[in-house]
Amino acid sequence: MKKGQQIELTGQITRVDEEGGRVTVDLGPLVTIDIDKVRLVEKYRTPKRKKPLRDMVD
């Protein structure tokens, strides 16, 4: 690692300070960073099943 190198960290947003332009993210410990350094990514969700797992009785 080098100083200033970009890395990707994943965590839950716990607090947004819009006036101060900062966001607190739970990465294990709580970390507060500038809001312009954060990229919002949706959580991956598996596709929903169209058929039930068991056989239907006619």
Side-chain angles (χ1 to χ4, degrees), residues 3 8-11 14 19 21-22 29 39 50-52:
K3 185 176 180 179
E8 183 175 324
L9 301 172
T10 304
T14 59
E19 293 177 9
R22 299 183 66 82
R39 182 174 56 125
K50 293 183 180 179
K51 290 177 121 183

Side-chain angles (χ1 to χ4, degrees), residues 11-57:
Q12 298 288 327
I13 294 176
T14 59
R15 182 171 176 260
V16 177
D17 180 14
E18 292 182 17
E19 293 177 9
R22 299 183 66 82
V23 171
T24 302
V25 182
D26 184 9
L27 300 174
L30 295 177
V31 178
T32 303
I33 54 177
D34 292 331
I35 202 165
D36 61 340
K37 304 295 181 194
V38 176
R39 182 174 56 125
L40 182 62
V41 179
E42 287 188 30
K43 185 176 180 180
Y44 174 75
R45 295 184 183 161
T46 58
K48 303 242 181 199
R49 292 186 183 276
K50 293 183 180 179
K51 290 177 121 183
L53 288 174
R54 59 186 177 164
D55 292 334
M56 299 294 290
V57 177

